[in-house]
Amino acid sequence: MNYGIIAKVIGSLLIFEAIMFAPAMLVGLLYDETSAIVFLGVMLLTLTVGLVLQKISGSSKSIRAKEALIIVAGGWLAVSFFGALPFYFSGAIPSMMDAFFETMSGLTTTGATILEEIEGLDKGILFWRSFTHWLGGMGILVLTLAVLPALGVGGFQIFKAETPGPVADKLAPKMKHTATILYTAYLGITLLETVLLMFGGLSLYEALVHTFGTVGTGGFSTLNASIGGYHSAYVQWVIAIFMVASGINFSLYYALYRNRLRDIYQNEELRFYLLIIGTATLLIFFNLQWEYHGSVFTTLRHAFFQVASITTTTGYATVDYEVWPQFSQSVLFFLMFVGGCAGSTGGSIKVIRLLVLVKLIRREIMRILHPRALVPVRIHHRMLEPDVIASVTSFYILYLLIMAVGTMLLSLEGLDLTSSFSAVAATLGNIGPGFGFVGPTQNYAAFSTPAKGLMSLFMLMGRLELFTVFILMTPDFWKEQA
């Protein structure tokens, strides 16, 4: 195991994080807050540790699969630890476990919070809190590959371990160029939403914070009432549309830029994703209209917003959906297991895996009807390899296993079955709010320290597609090859 190269890459990652503290420090200075001093101190500490780690030399510059897995998991843990220090040292979150939970939630774009009163915190702290969504949305390590070309050697191993979805494809021959393409699209969407939100009356600070939460599909807000606190139909529509846009595979924006419209139209995952959102919105809309007979446009807006929020695993809210009819709640509950497209900032299972599952079920039905028929599973007009199908199937099995074990463990907190199951689904799927004890008007503050640690692990596992973390727990991983 080349621990030298592991330390070197994680050191580079911490140096990058130290630089990323600067915007939050500037916000603190702008508003004359004591948090600016805290950010400066944490920046210097993180930079020092990063430089020390970078001095550790490895035996080779290449990064193998094992090293990549340790870099990804270890990198996320390291960044989460140092990212939690501003919350802890500023006094915004007095408990280090709570600060770590909040930071892990931000970086994994989960949006689960232990904070009960948000609006009284320093703006610099709240800016950093939401900025973690933007950093973690497309993957801190992919971002590092984009800005630190020296890490491009063996970078695709990191990219594969980091990227959401069953397969990871390069958009360009060099890993650095692939990461640059993805982040160009990411930055473009960020700038566009920020401008549109400012047109809706939000300040630059408010627009940036909520754009970070939208584009990163995280859901942290500066208001206790989330997006509903603005009472603005325009703001809600803008955020809802950009939540949907952020749940789309970012490589399709590159295809749009290259005018490859046929690639976009023929993308089965995109069509299935939009079909799920459209169908769920209509189901909830008609159910709410049947029960409450409210304004058509208001009902449609709330239905679309919550469907977009849960499907893309953003977690923003305009209303308390737990007062909605049971049918509408059940639709939202199902959407917790959908997620965004592969290659997007969304979490959960991912639409591509659901599409593969549907096609596998169809294949088995065809085999029963026509025993001698050969029915291949095709996605985007390409036949899936058996190892990809096996990977998708094993992902489902592991996901269900973690859900079951996690629910039992959280039930030890004295929660009812719905709340326990929902808390696991909300953290493992990187959604944030769920149902019951962790509903849209609740938070995670009352959980015990071990439970918060367990859910932090769930958030990391969900963000890194389960196996990246799970494999590190197996004894075989740590055995040196002869």
Side-chain angles (χ1 to χ4, degrees):
M1 189 77 71
N2 189 348
Y3 292 105
I5 196 67
I6 293 171
K8 194 177 187 67
V9 175
I10 293 179
S12 298
L13 189 58
L14 291 179
I15 292 172
F16 176 79
E17 183 182 27
I19 297 170
M20 290 299 101
F21 283 130
M25 183 182 70
L26 291 175
V27 171
L29 286 172
L30 182 64
Y31 288 96
D32 195 23
E33 298 171 341
T34 56
S35 62
I37 302 298
V38 173
F39 278 112
L40 178 60
V42 174
M43 181 190 299
L44 294 175
L45 174 63
T46 307
L47 182 63
T48 302
V49 174
L51 289 172
V52 170
L53 289 175
Q54 267 210 330
K55 295 298 181 182
I56 300 176
S57 60
S59 58
S60 172
K61 290 185 178 180
S62 63
I63 301 175
R64 298 175 300 174
K66 276 192 173 184
E67 281 95 4
L69 291 170
I70 296 175
I71 287 169
V72 170
W76 278 86
L77 290 172
V79 170
S80 296
F81 173 78
F82 285 95
L85 296 181
F87 296 120
Y88 181 68
F89 288 133
S90 69
I93 303 178
S95 163
M96 188 59 200
M97 183 66 247
D98 285 355
F100 181 81
F101 179 93
E102 195 80 9
T103 309
M104 180 65 77
S105 177
L107 289 168
T108 58
T109 73
T110 303
T113 183
I114 54 84
L115 292 172
E116 300 180 76
E117 174 56 46
I118 298 171
E119 296 174 17
L121 297 178
D122 283 0
K123 285 182 168 56
I125 292 293
L126 291 179
F127 184 91
W128 171 246
R129 180 171 175 259
S130 291
F131 194 39
T132 56
H133 284 331
W134 197 87
L135 292 174
M138 191 62 74
I140 299 171
L141 295 173
V142 178
L143 177 59
T144 306
L145 292 175
V147 297
L148 297 178
L151 299 181
V153 179
F156 190 58
Q157 295 291 347
I158 299 177
F159 183 61
K160 287 198 294 184
E162 168 77 13
T163 305
V167 265
D169 294 321
K170 289 184 179 180
L171 300 178
K174 292 186 177 181
M175 185 59 244
K176 182 188 71 171
H177 295 157
T178 296
T180 303
I181 289 169
L182 290 174
Y183 264 94
T184 299
Y186 197 50
L187 183 61
I189 294 175
T190 299
L191 293 174
L192 180 58
E193 185 186 354
T194 300
V195 171
L196 291 176
L197 287 178
M198 291 179 70
F199 282 145
L202 272 65
S203 66
L204 176 60
Y205 165 78
E206 291 174 313
L208 280 172
V209 165
H210 290 95
T211 295
F212 295 153
T214 304
V215 179
T217 62
F220 280 157
S221 175
T222 57
L223 301 177
N224 294 328
S226 190
I227 305 304
Y230 284 108
H231 306 290
S232 168
Y234 171 83
V235 169
Q236 291 173 18
W237 275 115
V238 169
I239 290 178
I241 291 169
F242 275 89
M243 283 192 291
V244 174
S246 300
I248 295 173
N249 190 325
F250 274 73
S251 65
L252 292 181
Y253 293 114
Y254 179 65
L256 181 64
Y257 170 74
R258 297 296 297 269
N259 202 31
R260 298 205 303 259
L261 300 181
R262 186 177 179 181
D263 291 352
I264 299 172
Y265 175 76
Q266 292 183 343
N267 190 281
E268 292 182 78
E269 183 186 23
L270 176 60
R271 296 205 303 266
F272 194 41
Y273 169 70
L274 296 177
L275 176 65
I276 291 172
I277 290 177
T279 303
T281 299
L282 289 176
L283 288 173
I284 292 178
F285 167 74
F286 285 121
N287 183 230
L288 292 177
Q289 281 297 100
W290 179 269
E291 292 287 339
Y292 302 130
H293 310 289
S295 165
V296 171
F297 294 108
T298 301
T299 303
L300 180 63
R301 183 177 78 248
H302 288 313
F304 177 64
F305 189 97
Q306 292 309 145
V307 166
S309 180
I310 298 297
T311 303
T312 61
T313 71
T314 304
Y316 277 139
T318 56
V319 294
D320 181 5
Y321 52 74
E322 285 200 292
V323 302
W324 283 0
Q326 289 298 311
F327 177 79
S328 294
Q329 291 188 51
S330 67
V331 173
L332 292 178
F333 190 79
F334 163 76
L335 294 177
M336 293 177 72
F337 301 94
V338 175
C341 299
S344 74
T345 58
S348 195
I349 289 174
K350 302 292 185 304
V351 174
I352 190 68
R353 290 193 179 95
L354 290 176
L355 186 59
V356 171
L357 181 63
V358 169
K359 296 206 172 194
L360 284 174
I361 293 172
R362 176 182 173 274
R363 185 180 70 174
E364 293 308 307
I365 292 174
M366 294 299 293
R367 281 179 171 177
I368 294 172
L369 295 175
H370 307 284
R372 296 183 179 180
L374 295 175
V375 186
V377 178
R378 298 180 184 275
I379 299 289
H380 312 322
H381 303 290
R382 291 185 296 179
M383 188 170 69
L384 290 185
E385 298 294 331
D387 60 335
V388 175
I389 295 176
S391 173
V392 171
T393 305
S394 57
F395 181 90
Y396 274 112
I397 295 171
L398 184 56
Y399 203 93
L400 291 174
L401 179 63
I402 295 171
M403 286 291 305
V405 174
T407 300
M408 287 188 290
L409 290 175
L410 286 187
S411 68
L412 296 174
E413 294 280 297
L415 300 179
D416 59 90
L417 182 60
T418 299
S419 296
S420 299
F421 187 80
S422 179
V424 178
T427 50
L428 186 63
N430 303 132
I431 299 163
F435 291 85
F437 195 71
V438 293
T441 61
Q442 307 296 324
N443 56 59
Y444 290 74
F447 283 95
S448 66
T449 296
K452 289 171 184 172
L454 180 64
M455 287 186 288
S456 296
L457 176 62
F458 289 157
M459 288 187 276
L460 183 62
M461 293 181 76
R463 181 61 182 82
L464 299 181
E465 302 283 294
L466 304 187
F467 286 102
T468 303
V469 178
F470 196 79
I471 195 173
L472 297 177
M473 303 177 187
T474 61
D476 288 344
F477 178 86
W478 300 99
K479 290 180 180 178
E480 291 290 346
Q481 294 180 344

